[in-house]
Amino acid sequence: MRLTVIGCSGSVPGPDSPASCYLLEAEDPADPAGRTWRVVLDLGSGASGPLQRHLPGGDLTALDGVLLSHLHADHCLDACSLYVAIKYGPAAHRGEPRAPMPLWAPAGAAGRLARAYDLPDDGPGMTEQYAFGTWADRVPVQVGPFTVEPVLVEHPVEAYGLRVTGPAEAGGGATAVLAYTGDTDDCPGLDHLAEGVDLLLVEASFTDDLPFERGIHLSGARAGDVAARAGARAVLATHLTPWADPDAVLAEVRSRFDGPADLARPGATHHL
């Protein structure tokens, strides 16, 4: 598996990064031709622009699926841009048939996205472009070579961390495991989500000394605690707000977790 950071700014797009979006790619070991599968973990505000740099021909419809952790705008809103690309893009103009793209999300995603694009209440919404699936806590789904287990986490809306198992870059039938927390405060679900993973993509929105309301986000210190407690092999801290000090957040993570830890950076690719 390869993870490319498309957007990693927390809560709002930042001056150097769109909001949350991570491209996950892997070759299908069951396909003799080595077909590459591509899914995104979240598709937040502004992400569809830079995402095009990392897809064949810059074509957003080259994706095989969209996996949304929750339905806040900074994690889902550019699914509207992808809808436009599917409905009106070059392949549509050529009349090429395609099945609706799988989109997995918490309950209510079809209505949420239709309202965001102001589609008529009595129409199909985006159901002709997306095959909507609804997460159920700890019930895995399969998208190509990726097994995705959603884990309910703590946020003001229904939200899931995503534990993804797929082919390891080493090949030979080996697998790798990535855990993406989405947005959450520390909660029991994180221990299962992050247990023994090869890479923990963990939100760390700010430093622990800032005043904040509990039950919404992790600080750098609490993110490090999660990683250490779960025995993660490596950490990538993400979802930093534009007003956070990234060096201070990373220092907090490293103060609680003694394994490899770094910040998510737009355009960087990580091999698992």
Side-chain angles (χ1 to χ4, degrees), residues 81-103:
S81 300
L82 178 54
Y83 157 79
V84 172
I86 296 170
K87 185 169 183 177
Y88 300 109
H93 281 296
R94 291 191 297 267
E96 298 174 3
R98 65 167 295 150
M101 184 180 296
L103 187 152

Side-chain angles (χ1 to χ4, degrees), residues 17-58:
S17 174
S20 296
C21 181
Y22 310 90
L23 174 65
L24 193 59
E25 301 174 283
E27 282 65 52
D28 189 343
D31 185 343
R35 178 218 200 284
T36 299
W37 286 75
R38 299 176 176 89
V39 299
V40 284
L41 310 176
D42 284 340
L43 193 49
S45 314
S48 59
L51 175 60
Q52 294 170 58
R53 299 192 200 109
H54 302 276
L55 296 172

Side-chain angles (χ1 to χ4, degrees), residues 35-193:
R35 178 218 200 284
T36 299
W37 286 75
R38 299 176 176 89
V39 299
V40 284
L41 310 176
D42 284 340
L43 193 49
S45 314
S48 59
L51 175 60
Q52 294 170 58
R53 299 192 200 109
H54 302 276
L55 296 172
D59 183 3
L60 289 170
T61 68
L63 290 171
D64 296 295
V66 178
L67 312 176
L68 299 181
S69 65
H70 66 293
L71 299 177
H72 278 156
D74 60 315
H75 292 258
C76 78
L77 203 57
D78 266 29
C80 293
S81 300
L82 178 54
Y83 157 79
V84 172
I86 296 170
K87 185 169 183 177
Y88 300 109
H93 281 296
R94 291 191 297 267
E96 298 174 3
R98 65 167 295 150
M101 184 180 296
L103 187 152
W104 287 89
R112 167 76 171 93
L113 294 175
R115 290 191 300 274
Y117 202 67
D118 202 23
L119 295 173
D121 292 338
D122 58 353
M126 298 184 179
T127 58
E128 294 176 350
Q129 290 72 37
Y130 291 126
F132 287 95
T134 300
W135 298 128
D137 187 29
R138 306 198 188 191
V139 178
V141 302
Q142 197 74 29
V143 182
F146 303 112
T147 301
V148 186
E149 182 185 3
V151 179
L152 194 64
V153 293
E154 184 177 2
H155 201 51
V157 299
E158 182 182 358
Y160 295 87
L162 303 176
R163 183 180 173 99
V164 184
T165 303
E169 286 276 276
T175 59
V177 184
L178 163 75
Y180 169 48
T181 64
D183 283 7
T184 183
D185 202 345
D186 201 353
C187 63
L190 291 180
D191 292 336
H192 174 71
L193 178 75

Side-chain angles (χ1 to χ4, degrees), residues 184-271:
T184 183
D185 202 345
D186 201 353
C187 63
L190 291 180
D191 292 336
H192 174 71
L193 178 75
E195 183 180 2
V197 296
D198 296 290
L199 179 63
L200 175 61
L201 180 62
V202 59
E203 78 127 283
S205 295
F206 37 67
T207 49
D208 212 31
D209 60 325
L210 296 178
F212 52 83
E213 183 180 347
R214 292 301 296 261
I216 302 177
H217 292 296
L218 290 166
S219 65
R222 295 204 303 282
D225 286 340
V226 170
R229 204 169 63 222
R233 295 181 182 176
V235 163
L236 203 58
T238 192
H239 201 268
L240 274 71
T241 57
W243 48 88
D245 179 343
D247 293 332
V249 171
L250 182 59
E252 278 198 353
V253 173
R254 289 173 171 170
S255 74
R256 306 293 182 92
F257 174 71
D258 60 9
D262 203 351
L263 297 172
R265 305 176 196 277
T269 297
H270 303 267
H271 298 263

